C-alpha cells in the first residue's frame, strides 16, 4: 500500500499555494503598517511550557497535544499554539530589556490532535500577534482593529466580532463562586465533561455546545456581572476606543475562551458561512502568563487566526484574486544545438530577474507552443537549426500571432527591454 499523509493534514499544491501566498503577503503588509515585527520560534518546546502556559484543565493540554519523549528522555510537544512560546522567548531572549511594548507577529503551523472535520485539522496554520509590556485599553483596541482592517483589506464581509471581559483573578474567583452556586442544583443535568469542569474550571461550562448544558446555563451569571472596578473601567474604555475607530463589535457576555491564560478582554471573530467551525480568529489579554512561566510581571495581549478558515471564507465570498499567468515568456528550442544556445539565453534572462520558461522534455514545436499557451506565456522565443544558421531569434507574440526577428547577439537586451516595458 502506498504511504498516505497523516489524517488531518494537507498537501498544499501549486494552484492552491498562490492563495496562501496572497493571504500571507496581505497579512505581512498590514503588520508592517501597524508596526509589528515577525518572530519565529521552534516547532516543538518542552511539554511543561504548554502545561503551565495554556493550562492543565484545557482540552488542548488534556487531550490534544502531540507529546513525545526525545532520545534524551525529555518530554517535548509539537506547539499547539504560539502565545506560550512567544512569552517564553520574551523571557529567555530578554525582550523585556527592549523598548516596550514589544509587538510581534507570526505565521506558521500548529499541531493539535483533534477529530478532523471541515475547517478542523491536526496540522493547521495560524497568523497571530502578541503585544507584550503594555496594559492600556488602547492596546486591546489596536490588536482588534488590526484584525478588523485585515479583513476589510481582504474584502471579507458578514464578520461578527464578539468581545467580552473575563476579568482578573479577583473578579473571576467571585464569578466562579456565583456560577457554581447557580449551577449546583442542576449539576446532574450537565454533560459528563461539564460535571468534571464544575469544580476545576466552571467558566468553560458557559461555552459548552451540548444542548442540555446550554439550557442549564440560561440566566447564569456572566463574567461581566462580576467585574471589579478596574476590569470594568478597562473594558468600557476598550469599547469606546473601538467604537470611535469604526470597528463594529458585539459584546457577548457568554464568550469564554478555551485557554486558561486570559484576563480582562477576550474576543473572537466568526463567519457563519464557513460551517460549524466558524471561529476564524480568537484572542485576548493575558496579564499573568509571562509571570506564570517564570518571567517578570508583564501584561500581554494577542490573537491568532486560522489561515485555512480565512481562506475558506475568502473562497465562499469569492474574494480570492484571479490567478495570474505563471510565465511571461517561453523559449522554444528545436534540436540539441538550439537547446544549448537557448538554455544560455534563458539563464542570462533569468539572472536579470525575468521569469522565462523552457521545454525540458525535447518536445515538438507544436507541443512546445501548446505548453507555452497552457502556462499563460505572452511571448515565445523560437530557436531552431535554421535560426541558428542565420544567427537570429524569432519572437512571437502569442496573443496576436505577430512575429519579429532579432539578432541572436542582441536578443538578451531586446527581450529584457520588452519585459521592462511590459510588452
Ligand atoms: P485558539 O482559539 O485556540 O487560540 O485558536 C485561534 C484560531 O486558530 C481559531 O479561531 C481557529 O481559527 C484556528 N484553529 C484552532 N484550532 C484549529 C484546528 N484544529 N484547525 C484549524 N484551525 C484551527 C489560540 O491559539 C491562542 N494562542 C490565540 C491567542 C494569541 N490569544 C492571545 N494571543
Amino acid at each position: 500500500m502506498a504511504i498516505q499523509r497523516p489524517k488531518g493534514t494537507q498537501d498544499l499544491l501549486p494552484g492552491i499555494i498562490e492563495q496562501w501566498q496572497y493571504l500571507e503577503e496581505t497579512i505581512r503588509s498590514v503588520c508592517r503598517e501597524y508596526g509589528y515585527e515577525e518572530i519565529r520560534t521552534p516547532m516543538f518546546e518542552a511539554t511543561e511550557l504548554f502545561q503551565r502556559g495554556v493550562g492543565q484543565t484545557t482540552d488542548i493540554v488534556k487531550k490534544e497535544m502531540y507529546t513525545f519523549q526525545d532520545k534524551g528522555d525529555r518530554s517535548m510537544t509539537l506547539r499547539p499554539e504560539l502565545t506560550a512560546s512567544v512569552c517564553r522567548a520574551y523571557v529567555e531572549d530578554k525582550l523585556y530589556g527592549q523598548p516596550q511594548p514589544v509587538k510581534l507577529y507570526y505565521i506558521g503551523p500548529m499541531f493539535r490532535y483533534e477529530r478532523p472535520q471541515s475547517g478542523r485539522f491536526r496540522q493547521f496554520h495560524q497568523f497571530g500577534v502578541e503585544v507584550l509590556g503594555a496594559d492600556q485599553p488602547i492596546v486591546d483596541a489596536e490588536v482588534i482593529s488590526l484584525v478588523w482592517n485585515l479583513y476589510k483589506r481582504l474584502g471579507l464581509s458578514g464578520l461578527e466580532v464578539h468581545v467580552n471581559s473575563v476579568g482578573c483573578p479577583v473578579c473571576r474567583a467571585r464569578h466562579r463562586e456565583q456560577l457554581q452556586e447557580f449551577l449546583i442544583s442542576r449539576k446532574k443535568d450537565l454533560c459528563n465533561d461539564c460535571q468534571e469542569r464544575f469544580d476545576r474550571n466552571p467558566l468553560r461550562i458557559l461555552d459548552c455546545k451540548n444542548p442540555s448544558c446550554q439550557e442549564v446555563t440560561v440566566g447564569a451569571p456572566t463574567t461581566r456581572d462580576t467585574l471589579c472596578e478596574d476590569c470594568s473601567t478597562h473594558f468600557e474604555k476598550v469599547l469606546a476606543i473601538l467604537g470611535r475607530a469604526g470597528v463594529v463589535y458585539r459584546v457577548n457576555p457568554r464568550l469564554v475562551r478555551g485557554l486558561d491564560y486570559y484576563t480582562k478582554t477576550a474576543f473572537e471573530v466568526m463567519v457563519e458561512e464557513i460551517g460549524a467551525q466558524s471561529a476564524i480568529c480568537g484572542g485576548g489579554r493575558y496579564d499573568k502568563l509571562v509571570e506564570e512561566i517564570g518571567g517578570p510581571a508583564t501584561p500581554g495581549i494577542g490573537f491568532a487566526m486560522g489561515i485555512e478558515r480565512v481562506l475558506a471564507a475568502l473562497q465562499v465570498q469569492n474574494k480570492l484574486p484571479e490567478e495570474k499567468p505563471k510565465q511571461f515568456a517561453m523559449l522554444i528550442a528545436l534540436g540539441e544545438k538550439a537547446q544549448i544556445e537557448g538554455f544560455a539565453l534563458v539563464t542570462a534572462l533569468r539572472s536579470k530577474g525575468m521569469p522565462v520558461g523552457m521545454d525540458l522534455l525535447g518536445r515538438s514545436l507544436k507541443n512546445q507552443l501548446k505548453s507555452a499557451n497552457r502556462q499563460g506565456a505572452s511571448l515565445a522565443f523560437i530557436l531552431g537549426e535554421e535560426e541558428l544558421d542565420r544567427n537570429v531569434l524569432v519572437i512571437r507574440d502569442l496573443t496576436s500571432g505577430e512575429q519579429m526577428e532579432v539578432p541572436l547577439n542582441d536578443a538578451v537586451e531586446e527581450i529584457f527591454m520588452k519585459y521592462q516595458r511590459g510588452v
Side-chain angles (χ1 to χ4, degrees):
M1 256 257 292
I3 298 170
Q4 296 184 328
R5 61 171 184 267
K7 234 171 123 174
T9 65
Q10 287 178 287
D11 295 317
L12 301 171
L13 305 177
I16 292 293
I17 205 75
E18 292 79 4
Q19 300 174 359
W20 285 66
Q21 288 166 345
Y22 158 72
L23 178 55
E24 288 171 11
E25 278 158 24
T26 313
I27 286 170
R28 286 180 197 284
S29 53
V30 172
C31 283
R32 249 191 316 275
E33 288 152 23
Y34 274 76
Y36 287 67
E37 292 180 296
E38 186 174 4
I39 181 168
R40 298 189 191 182
T41 61
M43 292 294 151
F44 59 95
E45 298 268 4
T47 302
E48 197 192 345
L49 173 67
F50 302 114
Q51 287 170 336
R52 266 164 62 183
V54 176
Q56 295 278 13
T57 65
T58 59
D59 285 350
I60 295 181
V61 171
K62 277 192 358 202
K63 310 186 223 170
E64 297 169 1
M65 294 206 301
Y66 278 91
T67 298
F68 59 96
Q69 295 297 116
D70 73 5
K71 293 193 200 304
D73 210 27
R74 289 170 285 251
S75 179
M76 293 291 163
T77 294
L78 297 185
R79 59 195 206 182
E81 61 108 52
L82 222 63
T83 311
S85 305
V86 170
C87 290
R88 192 233 355 101
Y90 179 82
V91 178
E92 189 169 349
D93 303 317
K94 302 192 175 52
L95 302 182
Y96 48 80
Q98 297 185 0
Q100 305 291 299
V102 173
K103 306 205 305 184
L104 301 165
Y105 80 93
Y106 48 84
I107 302 174
M110 309 292 154
F111 308 86
R112 293 185 194 174
Y113 193 85
E114 292 195 80
R115 198 167 45 79
Q117 61 181 84
S118 164
R120 196 200 273 155
F121 302 91
R122 288 185 174 167
Q123 174 174 333
F124 60 100
H125 297 74
Q126 285 185 342
F127 152 55
V129 316
E130 312 294 347
V131 183
L132 289 148
D135 64 358
Q136 299 290 304
I138 196 160
V139 189
D140 309 34
E142 177 176 284
V143 160
I144 297 172
S145 95
L146 191 158
V147 176
W148 178 256
N149 272 340
L150 172 65
Y151 291 148
K152 278 215 314 217
R153 182 79 52 91
L154 292 167
L156 285 174
S157 54
L159 302 161
E160 281 190 28
V161 180
H162 291 210
V163 288
N164 191 23
S165 175
V166 295
C168 63
V170 177
C171 32
R172 205 140 64 220
R174 201 157 55 207
H175 177 251
R176 184 193 168 99
E177 221 171 80
Q178 289 190 12
L179 185 60
Q180 282 173 329
E181 215 167 275
F182 178 91
L183 293 174
I184 187 92
S185 62
R186 294 189 62 189
K187 191 177 163 191
K188 58 177 189 330
D189 298 329
L190 296 171
C191 71
N192 288 344
D193 277 349
C194 284
Q195 296 210 10
E196 220 182 276
R197 286 178 184 136
F198 184 85
D199 290 313
R200 292 225 253 158
N201 193 356
L203 188 64
R204 295 280 293 148
I205 299 175
L206 294 177
D207 192 35
C208 183
K209 302 288 175 281
N210 187 306
S212 147
C213 298
Q214 290 193 338
E215 205 192 303
V216 173
T217 55
V218 172
T222 64
T223 49
R224 206 178 173 197
D225 301 330
T226 51
L227 290 185
C228 65
E229 206 181 315
D230 175 40
C231 290
S232 173
T233 314
H234 183 97
F235 191 49
E236 294 308 323
K237 283 185 183 166
V238 174
L239 299 183
I241 301 167
L242 283 177
R244 176 68 187 89
V247 177
V248 180
Y249 61 82
R250 206 171 96 191
V251 175
N252 175 358
R254 290 178 70 99
L255 172 73
V256 278
R257 305 262 306 125
L259 301 91
D260 278 356
Y261 47 61
Y262 291 110
T263 52
K264 294 186 176 166
T265 313
F267 66 97
E268 264 177 18
V269 182
M270 331 284 184
V271 192
E272 291 307 331
E273 292 158 287
I274 59 170
Q277 302 304 314
S278 61
I280 55 175
C281 174
R285 186 165 270 292
Y286 46 87
D287 289 345
K288 306 285 168 208
L289 178 56
V290 177
E291 222 174 329
E292 192 68 45
I293 60 165
T298 309
I301 179 163
F303 67 77
M305 68 177 67
I307 298 272
E308 288 84 354
R309 294 186 191 173
V310 176
L311 285 169
L314 288 167
Q315 187 91 54
V316 288
Q317 296 192 6
N318 219 356
K319 294 289 184 219
L320 285 165
E322 299 255 317
E323 231 185 283
K324 288 201 198 82
K326 290 189 182 118
Q327 292 286 5
F328 172 70
M330 285 291 278
L331 181 116
I332 293 174
L334 301 162
E336 203 178 319
K337 247 174 95 188
Q339 201 179 40
I340 295 170
E341 278 312 306
F343 183 74
L345 183 75
V346 164
T347 306
L349 289 168
R350 286 172 174 168
S351 73
K352 281 176 162 294
M354 176 175 159
V356 42
M358 171 174 186
D359 172 63
L360 298 173
L361 292 172
R363 280 182 283 211
S364 67
L365 172 67
K366 193 170 141 220
N367 284 338
Q368 289 196 46
L369 276 170
K370 240 197 222 161
S371 148
N373 276 320
R374 218 180 16 244
Q375 298 208 32
S378 43
L379 292 180
F381 313 132
I382 304 167
L383 191 60
E385 301 279 326
E386 194 246 339
E387 285 80 16
L388 268 183
D389 286 345
R390 291 196 294 121
N391 216 10
V392 294
L393 178 78
V394 174
I395 301 182
R396 182 187 292 185
D397 185 318
L398 289 173
T399 326
S400 66
E402 272 172 39
Q403 293 201 161
M404 64 180 276
E405 284 185 1
V406 291
L408 201 47
N409 298 340
D410 303 337
V412 171
E413 286 313 315
E414 288 273 342
I415 293 168
F416 193 64
M417 257 159 48
K418 269 185 177 296
Y419 173 61
Q420 281 182 317
R421 275 189 269 123
V423 197

